[in-house]
Amino acid sequence: EELEFSEALKAMPMIYLRADAVVLLESQAENAVPGDGDVVEVSLDEIRDLKLLQIGQAVQVIGRQPGSRDEESKVDAFDKILRINGAPVTCIQAVEAALDCSSSSAKRVEVAKAPFGKRNLTPAAARGWIYLERFIAMVKVAMIGGEGEGESKVVVSDSEALLEEIRQGGKALQDAAKAGKEVLQVALEGHFKALTLRTFSASSTDKMTNTGGCGGSATARSDQEMVEAIMAGMVEFLHNHWAAEAKVLRQ
């Protein structure tokens, strides 16, 4: 599964490059999911039949034990157990200890709602994967440069500032390509260096818990290593095939 996923990731840059257009989103709504982050209080008995998962120092609800009933429960899958009787919960053992206590019925549990799981709060511009996508958008703009309204057709965004950044980056790459392969190589490597300064973090549950042997495996590559490898391959490819790819895009 990991090998197949890696192969798909390797193909992603070329799919973006040869797509008719790419859509880049910059805005991040603060309240995109109603109720996300709300804290509710329930009795300890209400979490007795829950299936829990340890994610770092957080305890997440992933479902209910077979046969349990949840018609009136305030706790749902993806919610996070915050505190029990005011004490922070950082591991499943803390929940189990509270459930085993003879006075458990009197304890109260604070739960943070997360209808769609853990949100990635890292700004889009700071994420490594996003920078790779935006770099390819700059390449598209560079290759179709001088084609009238072509730029507006190959890159679409909800942010005029981001579009201007893509246009400027594309113009710089276009000028470098015109100046020769050596200058183009320097410009491309500059984007690779910029990528290494971005943030790479596992935001999915699978990645953080090593589902399928990926996230925590000693042999699996980190997100940063993976994206940097893809970027390095893209830089080498573009250096050697710039003119041919530009011709393809202009057709």
Side-chain angles (χ1 to χ4, degrees):
E1 181 179 319
E2 173 71 2
L3 291 176
E4 292 176 353
F5 183 60
S6 295
E7 289 302 312
L9 290 178
K10 291 176 184 178
M12 183 192 72
M14 292 305 299
I15 293 174
Y16 278 23
L17 181 61
R18 293 183 176 178
D20 292 335
V22 293
V23 179
L24 305 175
L25 301 180
E26 176 71 10
S27 300
Q28 183 171 336
E30 293 297 323
N31 300 306
V33 180
D36 185 73
D38 289 355
V39 177
V40 298
E41 187 176 278
V42 300
S43 69
L44 193 61
D45 284 338
E46 287 190 53
I47 69 168
R48 189 174 297 279
D49 295 325
L50 297 179
K51 295 171 66 175
L52 304 176
L53 181 68
Q54 184 81 40
I55 304 178
Q57 289 192 314
V59 176
Q60 186 184 61
V61 178
I62 58 172
R64 293 184 173 276
Q65 300 296 342
S68 63
R69 304 182 64 178
D70 63 346
E71 289 85 350
E72 299 180 0
S73 176
K74 297 179 182 178
V75 185
D76 301 293
F78 305 124
D79 291 350
K80 185 170 70 172
I81 308 297
L82 294 179
R83 288 173 287 274
I84 297 179
N85 266 22
V89 173
T90 58
C91 62
I92 292 178
Q93 288 77 8
V95 178
E96 294 173 340
L99 290 170
D100 290 340
C101 181
S102 59
S103 60
S104 64
S105 60
K107 293 185 177 181
R108 306 298 296 173
V109 182
E110 292 175 67
V111 177
K113 302 297 294 180
F116 294 98
K118 181 180 181 292
R119 292 181 64 189
N120 187 346
L121 299 178
T122 303
R127 301 181 195 179
W129 283 107
I130 300 297
Y131 187 82
L132 175 60
E133 295 171 4
R134 294 180 178 182
F135 163 69
I136 297 172
M138 293 179 191
V139 171
K140 290 175 71 69
V141 168
M143 288 183 172
I144 58 94
E147 296 293 317
E149 298 180 355
E151 294 179 5
S152 63
K153 293 181 178 179
V154 298
V155 181
V156 180
S157 176
D158 61 345
S159 168
E160 183 57 39
L162 175 56
L163 284 174
E164 182 60 24
E165 178 185 331
I166 298 300
R167 284 192 288 263
Q168 292 296 328
K171 179 65 166 58
L173 286 173
Q174 184 185 52
D175 290 344
K178 290 179 179 178
K181 294 188 68 173
E182 292 76 12
V183 178
L184 176 61
Q185 180 69 14
V186 172
L188 292 171
E189 289 178 350
H191 282 283
F192 178 82
K193 291 178 181 177
L195 174 76
T196 63
L197 301 177
R198 264 51 185 187
T199 298
F200 298 85
S201 60
S203 59
S204 71
T205 300
D206 283 354
K207 199 70 174 178
M208 287 187 284
T209 59
N210 195 26
T211 298
C214 306
S217 169
T219 58
R221 291 189 298 178
S222 68
D223 275 6
Q224 181 166 359
E225 292 171 329
M226 191 177 300
V227 179
E228 287 181 358
I230 293 172
M231 182 73 156
M234 196 65 181
V235 165
E236 181 179 1
F237 175 83
L238 290 171
H239 177 243
N240 295 318
H241 301 87
W242 185 275
E245 286 302 311
K247 184 177 180 180
V248 170
L249 285 182
R250 289 173 179 171
Q251 290 178 346

